[in-house]
Amino acid sequence: MSFISYAQNQEDVILWRALKGITNGCYLDIGAQHPIVDSVSKAFYERGWRGVHVEPVPEYAALMRQDRPDEVVLEVALAGTSEGIPFFVIPDTGLSTGSELIAGKHQSCGFVTVKTAVATQTLATIFASMGDIEIHWMKIDVEGMEADVLKGWHGSPARPWLVVVESTLPNSTTATEGEWEQELLKRDYTFALFDGLNRYYVAENHRDLINKLYAGANPLDQFTSYRQFNLELRLQATEARNRELEKRLEAITTLIYGELGQLASLIDDAQSRIVNTVSDDIRFLSEVSPLVGNDMRRFELTLGHATSLLESGFAAPESWGTWTNASSSVISI
């Protein structure tokens, strides 16, 4: 199966380049949002990987559980403590955040924000719940709360092989790594790549992966974006539907032409009969002499045509005239 990238900035392509040699790997997706649209984990899930998702927005957590019934979905936010925090949901977007400042900026730009409260856990608690399993990649995309998430690592010995952190303020190019990068560096992670949106870090005991994070997603990675894949599917469906319509149109056209052919034949026959009738009428008029008398129109038929007139469907001779002699007759109509 060709690699279909679902992620917003093809983060899954870059991670797959580094980790495609791993079978049935494991991930921790913090700020998972939608299970398909802009999902970093979907392509890995399709290849047998499984993991844990953290998503505090109820709508997206429900969608994630529906799409991934065999995975753990935690409907919480991650913070430095487990005390719960105010949370600002921005419906139908990936902009929901625990930062009141960032929520206020979104609201000033016309976004609707709904203030709620969510339960929290620490990153250390999540690591502990996953046990001793190797975590091959961890993604953190929490709309300005990256520092809060990383501060909750505490003393956990867990070391995901690769860590991807969104490193700009939401909807901007303003760098934020100064707020949280030290939490990774002090745990012996090495910076490897900035893709324009995220920064990639490699754990000390997997430094061999650094040379695989040489660049952002590019044609050499041989992938298709989910949006392009979807458009191609829709195009194929449209072309198939058009082919079917063309076949139906061809069949209807053939039927119409067949009917038209029969109709043309009927018209030709009718026209021929009309022409013959008109010809007979013209001949009849040329062969009779109009006579007027007794307030009625009379025609004198020349020899031999009274019989043909009878054969053409006229009534019996006694109903429309009187025979005068053998060579001609006078008929009143």
Side-chain angles (χ1 to χ4, degrees):
M1 179 172 68
S2 62
F3 193 91
I4 298 172
S5 171
Y6 297 87
Q8 177 184 18
N9 202 38
Q10 280 74 60
E11 295 92 338
D12 49 1
V13 175
I14 299 170
L15 290 170
W16 183 249
R17 184 199 303 150
L19 299 170
K20 61 185 175 183
I22 305 298
T23 302
N24 299 326
C26 178
Y27 44 75
L28 173 56
D29 193 348
I30 302 170
Q33 203 205 9
H34 199 281
I36 299 174
V37 179
D38 294 339
S39 172
V40 176
S41 62
K42 179 66 173 178
F44 287 85
Y45 183 82
E46 291 179 336
R47 286 161 176 75
W49 287 48
R50 295 296 181 268
V52 173
H53 304 274
V54 178
E55 178 49 57
V57 178
E59 174 190 359
Y60 290 123
L63 288 173
M64 185 64 70
R65 293 188 184 102
Q66 181 179 342
D67 189 71
R68 317 279 185 87
D70 55 345
E71 290 193 302
V72 176
V73 179
L74 302 174
E75 197 172 320
V76 299
L78 295 193
T81 67
S82 301
E83 297 176 355
I85 59 170
F87 196 76
F88 302 88
V89 176
I90 303 177
D92 302 320
T93 74
L95 300 174
S96 299
T97 179
S99 168
E100 185 172 6
L101 177 63
I102 291 175
K105 290 181 179 179
H106 289 320
Q107 191 169 22
S108 68
C109 292
F111 288 97
V112 175
T113 61
V114 181
K115 185 177 181 179
T116 62
V118 297
T120 61
Q121 291 187 26
T122 65
L123 184 56
T125 302
I126 303 298
F127 284 147
S129 70
M130 296 179 72
D132 296 331
I133 189 171
E134 288 275 12
I135 302 171
H136 296 99
W137 62 258
M138 175 174 71
K139 182 215 75 178
I140 303 173
D141 178 1
V142 289
E143 303 303 306
M145 295 185 64
E146 291 77 15
D148 298 274
V149 172
L150 290 170
K151 286 175 182 176
W153 198 319
H154 299 315
S156 172
R159 293 294 183 273
W161 293 18
L162 300 176
V163 177
V164 184
V165 186
E166 188 172 62
S167 57
T168 64
L169 285 175
N171 290 345
S172 81
T173 57
T174 303
T176 61
E177 69 270 17
E179 302 173 7
W180 47 260
E181 187 176 47
Q182 189 58 35
E183 295 292 336
L184 289 167
L185 299 180
K186 72 182 184 182
R187 290 178 171 84
D188 296 325
Y189 279 87
T190 300
F191 168 71
L193 173 68
F194 174 60
D195 67 4
L197 181 64
N198 309 278
R199 290 172 70 86
Y200 294 70
Y201 297 83
V202 180
E204 178 64 28
N205 55 340
H206 292 285
R207 289 182 62 86
D208 58 301
L209 297 178
I210 292 177
N211 62 3
K212 296 183 179 180
L213 303 177
Y214 56 82
N218 61 78
L220 295 179
D221 289 308
Q222 298 182 333
F223 71 95
T224 300
S225 74
Y226 176 65
R227 289 177 177 82
Q228 179 182 346
F229 175 71
N230 236 2
L231 288 173
E232 289 174 354
L233 285 181
R234 290 172 61 185
L235 177 60
Q236 290 171 12
T238 300
E239 290 176 341
R241 185 166 61 251
N242 287 345
R243 287 193 295 270
E244 180 61 28
L245 289 174
E246 287 172 356
K247 289 180 181 178
R248 291 172 60 184
L249 178 60
E250 183 179 355
I252 292 171
T253 302
T254 301
L255 178 62
I256 290 174
Y257 277 130
E259 295 291 336
L260 287 176
Q262 294 181 19
L263 181 59
S265 178
L266 291 173
I267 291 173
D268 287 343
D269 289 344
Q271 186 178 28
S272 178
R273 289 196 300 272
I274 291 171
V275 168
N276 291 336
T277 300
V278 171
S279 297
D280 286 344
D281 288 346
I282 292 173
R283 185 184 63 177
F284 173 79
L285 291 174
S286 69
E287 292 176 346
V288 300
S289 300
L291 301 173
V292 178
N294 300 324
D295 297 321
M296 65 178 65
R297 179 177 292 276
R298 297 185 302 163
F299 295 94
E300 183 178 352
L301 278 67
T302 57
L303 180 64
H305 288 294
T307 303
S308 65
L309 221 58
L310 286 172
E311 291 173 349
S312 299
F314 280 81
E318 58 269 17
S319 66
W320 46 259
T322 303
W323 301 100
T324 57
N325 54 48
S327 62
S328 66
S329 54
V330 176
I331 168 177
S332 59
I333 300 176

